Amino acid sequence: MCGVDQFEIKMIERSFNRVVIDTSALEDNFRFIQQKAGAATPVMAMVKADGYGHGMIQAAAAFSRAGCVNFGVAELAEGVLLRQKGIKGQIYITIGFSPSAAAAILDYDLIPVVYDISQVEALATTALDRGVEVGVHLKVDTGMSRLGISVAEVFDFVNRIDATKGVFLAGVMSHVPESDDTRASSTNEAIAKFTFICKELKRSSGAICHIANSGAVINFPDACYDMVRAGIALYGYHPAGQDELSKHPDGALIPAMSFRTQVLQVKHLSANQGISYGHTYKTEKESIIAVLPVGYEDGFSRGLSNRGVVLVRGQKVPIRGRVCMNMTMVDVTEIEGVTAGEEVVLMGTQNSCRIDADTIAGLVNSISYEILCMIGNNNSREYIKAVDPGTD
Ligand SMILES: *Cc1c(COP(=O)(O)O)cnc(C)c1O
Protein backbone atom coordinates (compact mmCIF):
# COMPACT_ATOMS: atom_id res chain seq x y z
CA MET A 1 0.00 0.00 0.00
CA CYS A 2 3.12 2.19 0.42
CA GLY A 3 1.79 5.64 1.09
CA VAL A 4 -1.32 5.29 -1.02
CA ASP A 5 -4.51 6.08 0.75
CA GLN A 6 -6.68 2.98 1.15
CA PHE A 7 -9.80 5.02 0.51
CA GLU A 8 -8.39 6.36 -2.73
CA ILE A 9 -7.78 2.80 -3.96
CA LYS A 10 -11.34 1.85 -3.15
CA MET A 11 -12.57 4.72 -5.25
CA ILE A 12 -10.47 3.64 -8.24
CA GLU A 13 -11.30 -0.04 -8.21
CA ARG A 14 -12.08 -2.56 -5.52
CA SER A 15 -10.16 -5.82 -5.49
CA PHE A 16 -11.56 -8.53 -7.71
CA ASN A 17 -11.61 -10.70 -4.61
CA ARG A 18 -14.26 -10.29 -1.95
CA VAL A 19 -14.45 -11.87 1.47
CA VAL A 20 -18.05 -11.53 2.57
CA ILE A 21 -19.05 -12.00 6.19
CA ASP A 22 -22.67 -12.71 7.05
CA THR A 23 -23.10 -11.09 10.46
CA SER A 24 -26.51 -12.65 10.99
CA ALA A 25 -24.83 -16.08 10.80
CA LEU A 26 -22.45 -14.96 13.58
CA GLU A 27 -25.42 -13.90 15.70
CA ASP A 28 -27.34 -17.12 15.02
CA ASN A 29 -24.32 -19.27 15.84
CA PHE A 30 -23.85 -17.43 19.12
CA ARG A 31 -27.48 -18.02 20.09
CA PHE A 32 -27.15 -21.67 19.12
CA ILE A 33 -24.06 -22.22 21.28
CA GLN A 34 -25.65 -20.27 24.15
CA GLN A 35 -28.60 -22.61 23.98
CA LYS A 36 -26.27 -25.65 23.95
CA ALA A 37 -24.36 -24.38 26.99
CA GLY A 38 -27.62 -23.63 28.79
CA ALA A 39 -29.10 -20.24 29.56
CA ALA A 40 -27.37 -20.04 32.96
CA THR A 41 -23.88 -20.59 31.51
CA PRO A 42 -22.26 -17.55 29.90
CA VAL A 43 -20.51 -18.06 26.56
CA MET A 44 -17.18 -16.30 26.13
CA ALA A 45 -16.82 -15.50 22.43
CA MET A 46 -13.23 -16.06 21.32
CA VAL A 47 -12.38 -13.24 18.93
CA LYS A 48 -8.61 -13.69 18.79
CA ALA A 49 -6.83 -14.01 15.42
CA ASP A 50 -8.89 -11.07 14.19
CA GLY A 51 -12.06 -12.98 14.96
CA TYR A 52 -10.76 -16.14 13.23
CA GLY A 53 -10.32 -13.99 10.12
CA HIS A 54 -13.82 -12.48 10.30
CA GLY A 55 -12.69 -9.13 11.75
CA MET A 56 -12.34 -8.89 15.53
CA ILE A 57 -14.40 -5.76 16.05
CA GLN A 58 -17.22 -6.66 13.67
CA ALA A 59 -17.39 -10.21 15.06
CA ALA A 60 -17.45 -8.97 18.66
CA ALA A 61 -20.16 -6.45 17.76
CA ALA A 62 -22.27 -9.19 16.14
CA PHE A 63 -21.91 -11.46 19.19
CA SER A 64 -22.81 -8.48 21.42
CA ARG A 65 -26.04 -8.00 19.50
CA ALA A 66 -26.83 -11.66 20.18
CA GLY A 67 -26.34 -11.08 23.91
CA CYS A 68 -22.65 -11.83 24.42
CA VAL A 69 -20.92 -10.03 27.30
CA ASN A 70 -17.71 -12.08 27.59
CA PHE A 71 -14.94 -11.89 25.01
CA GLY A 72 -11.63 -13.71 24.78
CA VAL A 73 -8.49 -12.64 22.96
CA ALA A 74 -4.94 -13.96 23.08
CA GLU A 75 -2.92 -10.81 23.69
CA LEU A 76 -3.20 -7.57 25.57
CA ALA A 77 -3.03 -5.42 22.42
CA GLU A 78 -6.16 -7.11 21.09
CA GLY A 79 -8.04 -6.45 24.32
CA VAL A 80 -7.00 -2.80 24.26
CA LEU A 81 -8.26 -2.47 20.69
CA LEU A 82 -11.63 -4.02 21.57
CA ARG A 83 -12.04 -1.44 24.35
CA GLN A 84 -10.91 1.43 22.14
CA LYS A 85 -13.53 0.40 19.59
CA GLY A 86 -16.22 0.48 22.25
CA ILE A 87 -16.82 -3.21 22.98
CA LYS A 88 -18.53 -3.51 26.38
CA GLY A 89 -18.43 -6.40 28.82
CA GLN A 90 -15.64 -8.58 30.14
CA ILE A 91 -12.54 -9.00 28.02
CA TYR A 92 -10.18 -11.85 28.90
CA ILE A 93 -6.50 -11.82 27.93
CA THR A 94 -5.99 -15.57 27.64
CA ILE A 95 -2.31 -15.99 26.86
CA GLY A 96 -1.20 -13.47 29.38
CA PHE A 97 0.82 -10.27 29.40
CA SER A 98 4.30 -9.26 30.42
CA PRO A 99 4.48 -7.92 33.98
CA SER A 100 5.71 -4.54 32.70
CA ALA A 101 2.32 -4.10 30.94
CA ALA A 102 0.24 -4.66 34.08
CA ALA A 103 -0.97 -1.03 34.14
CA ALA A 104 -2.73 -1.45 30.78
CA ILE A 105 -4.81 -4.32 32.21
CA LEU A 106 -6.27 -1.87 34.73
CA ASP A 107 -6.39 1.12 32.37
CA TYR A 108 -8.58 -0.78 29.94
CA ASP A 109 -10.54 -2.83 32.45
CA LEU A 110 -9.35 -6.17 31.10
CA ILE A 111 -9.35 -9.55 32.84
CA PRO A 112 -5.89 -11.07 33.19
CA VAL A 113 -5.12 -14.77 32.93
CA VAL A 114 -2.02 -15.61 35.01
CA TYR A 115 0.39 -18.55 35.22
CA ASP A 116 3.46 -16.90 36.72
CA ILE A 117 3.76 -15.25 40.10
CA SER A 118 5.57 -12.24 38.59
CA GLN A 119 2.31 -11.38 36.78
CA VAL A 120 0.41 -11.49 40.08
CA GLU A 121 2.99 -9.28 41.79
CA ALA A 122 3.03 -6.71 38.99
CA LEU A 123 -0.78 -6.49 39.01
CA ALA A 124 -0.79 -6.20 42.80
CA THR A 125 1.68 -3.31 42.79
CA THR A 126 -0.37 -1.38 40.24
CA ALA A 127 -3.66 -2.18 41.97
CA LEU A 128 -2.41 -1.06 45.39
CA ASP A 129 -1.09 2.18 43.86
CA ARG A 130 -4.58 2.90 42.63
CA GLY A 131 -6.40 1.62 45.70
CA VAL A 132 -8.27 -1.11 43.79
CA GLU A 133 -8.33 -4.91 43.69
CA VAL A 134 -7.85 -6.96 40.52
CA GLY A 135 -9.46 -10.34 39.93
CA VAL A 136 -7.23 -12.83 38.13
CA HIS A 137 -8.00 -16.10 36.37
CA LEU A 138 -5.45 -18.84 36.95
CA LYS A 139 -4.46 -20.99 33.97
CA VAL A 140 -4.00 -24.66 34.84
CA ASP A 141 -2.58 -27.37 32.57
CA THR A 142 -4.83 -30.44 32.89
CA GLY A 143 -3.25 -32.42 30.06
CA MET A 144 -2.75 -30.14 27.06
CA SER A 145 0.94 -29.62 27.93
CA ARG A 146 0.63 -26.07 26.76
CA LEU A 147 0.25 -22.90 28.82
CA GLY A 148 -0.54 -23.07 32.53
CA ILE A 149 0.74 -24.27 35.88
CA SER A 150 0.56 -27.96 36.72
CA VAL A 151 -2.27 -29.40 38.79
CA ALA A 152 0.20 -30.11 41.60
CA GLU A 153 1.12 -26.40 41.84
CA VAL A 154 -2.42 -25.05 41.98
CA PHE A 155 -3.04 -24.83 45.71
CA ASP A 156 0.34 -23.26 46.49
CA PHE A 157 -0.18 -20.73 43.74
CA VAL A 158 -3.66 -19.90 45.01
CA ASN A 159 -2.27 -19.44 48.53
CA ARG A 160 0.21 -16.94 47.13
CA ILE A 161 -2.57 -15.06 45.36
CA ASP A 162 -4.59 -15.04 48.60
CA ALA A 163 -1.58 -13.70 50.46
CA THR A 164 -1.05 -10.87 47.97
CA LYS A 165 -2.95 -7.66 48.66
CA GLY A 166 -4.48 -6.02 45.61
CA VAL A 167 -5.33 -9.24 43.76
CA PHE A 168 -7.87 -11.99 44.26
CA LEU A 169 -8.73 -15.27 42.55
CA ALA A 170 -11.71 -14.60 40.27
CA GLY A 171 -11.47 -17.74 38.17
CA VAL A 172 -9.65 -20.90 37.23
CA MET A 173 -9.36 -22.04 33.64
CA SER A 174 -7.92 -24.87 31.62
CA HIS A 175 -8.00 -26.09 28.04
CA VAL A 176 -8.57 -29.52 26.47
CA PRO A 177 -6.69 -31.05 23.53
CA GLU A 178 -9.19 -33.53 22.06
CA SER A 179 -12.74 -32.38 22.74
CA ASP A 180 -13.62 -32.75 19.06
CA ASP A 181 -13.27 -36.52 19.48
CA THR A 182 -15.89 -38.18 21.66
CA ARG A 183 -13.85 -41.40 21.89
CA ALA A 184 -10.67 -39.81 23.24
CA SER A 185 -10.23 -40.23 26.99
CA SER A 186 -8.18 -37.08 27.63
CA THR A 187 -11.22 -34.82 27.95
CA ASN A 188 -12.78 -36.91 30.70
CA GLU A 189 -9.40 -37.06 32.45
CA ALA A 190 -9.08 -33.28 32.26
CA ILE A 191 -12.66 -32.87 33.51
CA ALA A 192 -11.88 -35.11 36.50
CA LYS A 193 -8.79 -33.09 37.44
CA PHE A 194 -10.54 -29.79 36.87
CA THR A 195 -13.59 -30.81 38.92
CA PHE A 196 -11.33 -31.72 41.85
CA ILE A 197 -9.59 -28.31 41.69
CA CYS A 198 -12.83 -26.39 41.34
CA LYS A 199 -14.51 -28.14 44.26
CA GLU A 200 -11.60 -27.33 46.54
CA LEU A 201 -11.35 -23.71 45.44
CA LYS A 202 -15.06 -23.03 45.59
CA ARG A 203 -15.00 -23.83 49.31
CA SER A 204 -12.80 -20.84 49.98
CA SER A 205 -13.40 -18.42 47.09
CA GLY A 206 -15.98 -17.22 44.63
CA ALA A 207 -13.81 -18.24 41.69
CA ILE A 208 -15.57 -19.36 38.53
CA CYS A 209 -14.34 -22.32 36.50
CA HIS A 210 -14.12 -22.65 32.72
CA ILE A 211 -12.51 -25.22 30.45
CA ALA A 212 -14.82 -25.92 27.50
CA ASN A 213 -14.02 -24.92 23.91
CA SER A 214 -16.47 -25.49 21.02
CA GLY A 215 -15.82 -29.24 20.89
CA ALA A 216 -16.45 -29.63 24.61
CA VAL A 217 -19.67 -27.59 24.50
CA ILE A 218 -20.96 -29.85 21.74
CA ASN A 219 -19.59 -33.22 22.92
CA PHE A 220 -19.02 -33.00 26.67
CA PRO A 221 -21.89 -31.23 28.44
CA ASP A 222 -20.22 -32.03 31.81
CA ALA A 223 -17.39 -29.68 30.82
CA CYS A 224 -19.50 -26.53 30.77
CA TYR A 225 -18.94 -25.53 34.45
CA ASP A 226 -19.56 -21.78 35.06
CA MET A 227 -18.70 -20.51 31.58
CA VAL A 228 -17.66 -21.86 28.17
CA ARG A 229 -15.24 -20.39 25.64
CA ALA A 230 -16.37 -20.92 22.08
CA GLY A 231 -14.47 -20.02 18.94
CA ILE A 232 -14.83 -22.03 15.75
CA ALA A 233 -18.49 -22.94 16.31
CA LEU A 234 -19.43 -19.25 16.47
CA TYR A 235 -17.96 -18.84 12.99
CA GLY A 236 -20.05 -21.75 11.72
CA TYR A 237 -17.76 -24.77 11.83
CA HIS A 238 -17.69 -27.98 13.78
CA PRO A 239 -14.23 -28.46 15.32
CA ALA A 240 -13.93 -32.00 13.97
CA GLY A 241 -14.63 -30.91 10.42
CA GLN A 242 -17.18 -31.42 7.73
CA ASP A 243 -17.87 -35.16 8.09
CA GLU A 244 -18.60 -34.67 11.75
CA LEU A 245 -20.84 -31.73 10.90
CA SER A 246 -23.03 -33.71 8.54
CA LYS A 247 -23.73 -36.48 11.02
CA HIS A 248 -24.21 -34.13 13.96
CA PRO A 249 -27.50 -32.59 14.98
CA ASP A 250 -25.36 -29.44 15.30
CA GLY A 251 -25.47 -28.98 11.57
CA ALA A 252 -27.34 -25.83 12.60
CA LEU A 253 -24.04 -23.95 12.61
CA ILE A 254 -23.87 -21.56 9.67
CA PRO A 255 -20.50 -20.71 8.07
CA ALA A 256 -20.31 -16.91 8.13
CA MET A 257 -17.48 -16.31 5.66
CA SER A 258 -17.52 -16.68 1.90
CA PHE A 259 -14.79 -15.84 -0.60
CA ARG A 260 -15.64 -14.76 -4.12
CA THR A 261 -13.78 -13.62 -7.19
CA GLN A 262 -14.48 -13.27 -10.91
CA VAL A 263 -13.14 -14.60 -14.19
CA LEU A 264 -10.32 -12.40 -15.48
CA GLN A 265 -9.82 -14.02 -18.89
CA VAL A 266 -11.07 -17.08 -20.78
CA LYS A 267 -8.72 -18.92 -23.12
CA HIS A 268 -8.95 -21.86 -25.47
CA LEU A 269 -6.03 -24.27 -25.34
CA SER A 270 -5.24 -27.18 -27.62
CA ALA A 271 -4.30 -30.61 -26.27
CA ASN A 272 -0.96 -31.11 -24.51
CA GLN A 273 -0.48 -27.50 -23.38
CA GLY A 274 1.28 -26.98 -20.06
CA ILE A 275 -0.42 -24.68 -17.54
CA SER A 276 1.22 -22.38 -14.95
CA TYR A 277 4.65 -22.56 -13.32
CA GLY A 278 6.43 -25.87 -13.75
CA HIS A 279 3.84 -27.04 -16.27
CA THR A 280 2.60 -29.49 -13.64
CA TYR A 281 -0.61 -29.93 -15.62
CA LYS A 282 -0.90 -30.57 -19.36
CA THR A 283 -4.24 -30.43 -21.13
CA GLU A 284 -5.47 -33.86 -22.18
CA LYS A 285 -7.69 -32.47 -24.91
CA GLU A 286 -8.83 -29.12 -26.26
CA SER A 287 -9.73 -27.17 -23.14
CA ILE A 288 -11.25 -23.91 -22.02
CA ILE A 289 -9.38 -22.35 -19.13
CA ALA A 290 -10.52 -19.44 -16.97
CA VAL A 291 -7.83 -17.30 -15.36
CA LEU A 292 -8.78 -16.10 -11.87
CA PRO A 293 -7.19 -13.11 -10.10
CA VAL A 294 -6.60 -14.97 -6.85
CA GLY A 295 -3.54 -16.69 -5.46
CA TYR A 296 -1.62 -17.55 -2.33
CA GLU A 297 -1.13 -13.87 -1.60
CA ASP A 298 -4.86 -13.81 -0.91
CA GLY A 299 -4.75 -16.84 1.38
CA PHE A 300 -5.75 -19.17 -1.46
CA SER A 301 -3.25 -21.89 -0.62
CA ARG A 302 -0.64 -23.06 -3.11
CA GLY A 303 -1.43 -26.50 -1.72
CA LEU A 304 -4.61 -26.36 -3.83
CA SER A 305 -2.54 -26.64 -7.03
CA ASN A 306 -4.04 -29.41 -9.22
CA ARG A 307 -6.27 -30.43 -6.29
CA GLY A 308 -8.78 -27.73 -5.41
CA VAL A 309 -12.09 -26.84 -7.00
CA VAL A 310 -14.03 -23.59 -7.36
CA LEU A 311 -17.66 -22.89 -8.26
CA VAL A 312 -18.64 -21.47 -11.64
CA ARG A 313 -22.37 -21.26 -12.39
CA GLY A 314 -23.08 -23.54 -9.44
CA GLN A 315 -20.76 -26.31 -10.62
CA LYS A 316 -17.44 -27.50 -9.25
CA VAL A 317 -14.56 -27.03 -11.67
CA PRO A 318 -10.95 -28.14 -11.06
CA ILE A 319 -7.85 -26.03 -10.56
CA ARG A 320 -5.26 -26.76 -13.24
CA GLY A 321 -1.55 -26.34 -12.58
CA ARG A 322 0.02 -24.41 -9.74
CA VAL A 323 -1.73 -21.67 -7.84
CA CYS A 324 0.43 -18.55 -8.37
CA MET A 325 0.90 -15.54 -6.13
CA ASN A 326 -1.97 -13.60 -7.74
CA MET A 327 -3.53 -15.95 -10.26
CA THR A 328 -5.07 -19.41 -10.60
CA MET A 329 -6.30 -21.31 -13.65
CA VAL A 330 -9.45 -23.45 -13.62
CA ASP A 331 -10.91 -25.75 -16.24
CA VAL A 332 -14.31 -24.60 -17.52
CA THR A 333 -14.39 -26.83 -20.60
CA GLU A 334 -17.57 -28.52 -19.37
CA ILE A 335 -19.45 -25.26 -18.81
CA GLU A 336 -21.03 -23.52 -21.76
CA GLY A 337 -20.11 -19.92 -22.52
CA VAL A 338 -18.12 -18.74 -19.50
CA THR A 339 -17.06 -15.11 -19.95
CA ALA A 340 -14.70 -12.66 -18.27
CA GLY A 341 -16.27 -10.86 -15.35
CA GLU A 342 -18.55 -13.60 -14.14
CA GLU A 343 -18.64 -14.63 -10.51
CA VAL A 344 -16.52 -17.46 -9.17
CA VAL A 345 -16.99 -18.77 -5.64
CA LEU A 346 -13.80 -19.99 -3.96
CA MET A 347 -15.50 -20.70 -0.61
CA GLY A 348 -19.21 -20.42 0.01
CA THR A 349 -22.40 -21.26 -1.86
CA GLN A 350 -23.34 -20.68 -5.48
CA ASN A 351 -26.77 -21.83 -6.57
CA SER A 352 -27.03 -24.82 -4.27
CA CYS A 353 -23.44 -25.99 -4.54
CA ARG A 354 -21.09 -25.37 -1.65
CA ILE A 355 -17.37 -25.34 -0.89
CA ASP A 356 -16.55 -24.71 2.74
CA ALA A 357 -13.39 -24.22 4.79
CA ASP A 358 -13.40 -27.91 5.73
CA THR A 359 -13.37 -28.91 2.04
CA ILE A 360 -10.35 -26.70 1.44
CA ALA A 361 -8.68 -27.81 4.69
CA GLY A 362 -9.05 -31.46 3.70
CA LEU A 363 -7.10 -30.81 0.48
CA VAL A 364 -4.20 -28.96 2.07
CA ASN A 365 -3.75 -30.98 5.26
CA SER A 366 -5.13 -28.26 7.49
CA ILE A 367 -8.19 -27.36 9.56
CA SER A 368 -11.02 -24.89 9.02
CA TYR A 369 -9.51 -22.57 11.67
CA GLU A 370 -6.36 -21.97 9.60
CA ILE A 371 -8.22 -21.63 6.28
CA LEU A 372 -10.54 -18.95 7.74
CA CYS A 373 -7.59 -17.02 9.20
CA MET A 374 -5.58 -17.23 5.95
CA ILE A 375 -8.43 -16.04 3.72
CA GLY A 376 -10.04 -13.55 6.09
CA ASN A 377 -6.85 -11.87 7.19
CA ASN A 378 -5.48 -11.45 3.68
CA ASN A 379 -8.42 -9.68 2.06
CA SER A 380 -10.61 -6.69 2.64
CA ARG A 381 -13.95 -7.80 4.01
CA GLU A 382 -17.53 -6.83 3.37
CA TYR A 383 -20.21 -7.25 5.99
CA ILE A 384 -23.73 -8.21 5.06
CA LYS A 385 -26.79 -9.23 6.95
CA ALA A 386 -28.32 -12.10 5.00
CA VAL A 387 -32.04 -11.78 4.34
CA ASP A 388 -32.38 -15.52 4.38
CA PRO A 389 -30.01 -16.91 7.04
CA GLY A 390 -29.77 -20.18 5.10
CA THR A 391 -27.77 -18.66 2.26
CA ASP A 392 -24.80 -16.41 1.81
C1 LIG B 1 -9.17 -20.33 20.93
C2 LIG B 1 -9.52 -20.77 22.28
C3 LIG B 1 -10.75 -21.35 22.56
C4 LIG B 1 -11.78 -21.66 21.50
O1 LIG B 1 -11.49 -22.86 20.84
P1 LIG B 1 -12.45 -23.39 19.66
O2 LIG B 1 -11.96 -24.75 19.38
O3 LIG B 1 -12.26 -22.45 18.51
O4 LIG B 1 -13.83 -23.33 20.19
C5 LIG B 1 -11.04 -21.63 23.88
N1 LIG B 1 -10.15 -21.35 24.87
C6 LIG B 1 -8.94 -20.81 24.62
C7 LIG B 1 -8.01 -20.54 25.75
C8 LIG B 1 -8.59 -20.51 23.34
O5 LIG B 1 -7.38 -19.98 23.09
Side-chain angles (χ1 to χ4, degrees):
M1 293 288 146
C2 298
V4 184
D5 184 50
Q6 190 102 31
F7 179 71
E8 196 182 312
I9 290 176
K10 264 194 197 145
M11 297 307 289
I12 298 165
E13 183 169 55
R14 305 177 91 154
S15 170
F16 291 118
N17 303 319
R18 302 161 56 218
V19 165
V20 182
I21 312 289
D22 173 2
T23 57
S24 38
L26 297 176
E27 293 178 40
D28 288 346
N29 292 334
F30 181 85
R31 288 187 202 100
F32 181 79
I33 290 297
Q34 180 66 75
Q35 182 210 324
K36 274 252 140 206
T41 310
V43 176
M44 185 195 301
M46 297 306 297
V47 293
K48 65 192 178 194
D50 205 16
Y52 289 45
H54 295 65
M56 179 176 71
I57 305 300
Q58 290 88 343
F63 300 139
S64 283
R65 289 194 293 277
C68 183
V69 291
N70 293 282
F71 301 92
V73 290
E75 297 201 42
L76 182 58
E78 299 170 296
V80 169
L81 189 61
L82 279 173
R83 277 284 181 253
Q84 287 172 336
K85 297 290 182 183
I87 300 299
K88 302 275 187 297
Q90 330 243 50
I91 298 175
Y92 291 79
I93 310 301
T94 63
I95 69 166
F97 56 97
S98 50
S100 61
I105 297 273
L106 281 85
D107 292 344
Y108 291 94
D109 187 21
L110 305 170
I111 299 180
V113 170
V114 299
Y115 43 83
D116 193 290
I117 206 68
S118 65
Q119 298 169 311
V120 175
E121 285 161 357
L123 286 168
T125 308
T126 314
L128 287 174
D129 267 0
R130 301 184 188 192
V132 296
E133 265 206 310
V134 185
V136 300
H137 285 234
L138 177 59
K139 178 82 181 247
V140 183
D141 181 356
T142 53
M144 177 88 178
S145 305
R146 204 174 66 175
L147 194 63
I149 62 167
S150 72
V151 173
E153 293 170 302
V154 169
F155 299 108
D156 273 352
F157 200 104
V158 169
N159 287 338
R160 294 183 73 176
I161 293 173
D162 289 346
T164 309
K165 285 205 174 59
V167 294
F168 65 96
L169 185 72
V172 187
M173 69 181 283
S174 190
H175 195 61
V176 281
E178 296 182 289
S179 63
D180 53 336
D181 183 354
T182 48
R183 289 156 309 178
S185 58
S186 67
T187 308
N188 287 321
E189 287 161 20
I191 291 172
K193 289 181 195 163
F194 199 59
T195 299
F196 165 74
I197 294 168
C198 291
K199 267 199 185 134
E200 289 296 314
L201 293 179
K202 278 185 191 277
R203 276 186 210 155
S204 56
S205 76
I208 64 162
C209 297
H210 47 109
I211 189 170
N213 53 7
S214 298
V217 178
I218 292 166
N219 296 324
F220 295 88
D222 287 355
C224 288
Y225 297 89
D226 305 313
M227 178 159 68
V228 300
R229 306 185 307 265
I232 196 71
L234 301 182
Y235 302 98
Y237 285 89
H238 192 286
Q242 193 179 31
D243 294 348
E244 234 5 75
L245 186 64
S246 55
K247 58 181 182 257
H248 242 270
D250 303 311
L253 297 171
I254 309 160
M257 182 191 294
S258 64
F259 188 25
R260 288 149 199 280
T261 188
Q262 56 184 262
V263 175
L264 200 58
Q265 190 191 11
V266 176
K267 58 181 54 187
H268 294 252
L269 300 182
S270 52
N272 207 30
Q273 295 280 299
I275 296 179
S276 193
Y277 289 120
H279 275 188
T280 57
Y281 181 85
K282 286 208 167 68
T283 51
E284 286 162 7
K285 52 175 186 182
E286 268 185 39
S287 302
I288 306 174
I289 296 296
V291 181
L292 310 180
V294 65
Y296 54 80
E297 182 219 13
D298 311 295
F300 197 64
S301 174
R302 189 169 177 276
L304 292 168
S305 301
N306 288 316
R307 313 182 75 163
V309 292
V310 305
L311 301 178
V312 178
R313 298 198 189 167
Q315 290 182 55
K316 287 187 179 164
V317 300
I319 293 173
R320 298 300 195 204
R322 289 201 181 129
V323 171
C324 307
M325 189 180 282
N326 292 96
M327 281 183 271
T328 297
M329 275 60 77
V330 298
D331 193 331
V332 293
T333 312
E334 303 306 321
I335 300 178
E336 199 66 39
V338 173
T339 55
E342 74 177 83
E343 183 194 64
V344 176
V345 171
L346 306 162
M347 184 174 79
T349 305
Q350 197 184 41
N351 302 344
S352 52
C353 199
R354 163 155 211 99
I355 294 171
D356 63 28
D358 286 318
T359 324
I360 298 173
L363 295 169
V364 299
N365 191 25
S366 183
I367 51 175
S368 60
Y369 299 67
E370 187 183 28
I371 303 302
L372 295 174
C373 288
M374 283 202 304
I375 292 174
N377 292 338
N378 280 295
N379 294 282
S380 59
R381 293 169 292 222
E382 284 171 32
Y383 293 87
I384 58 158
K385 216 169 162 53
V387 184
D388 170 6
T391 63
D392 57 4

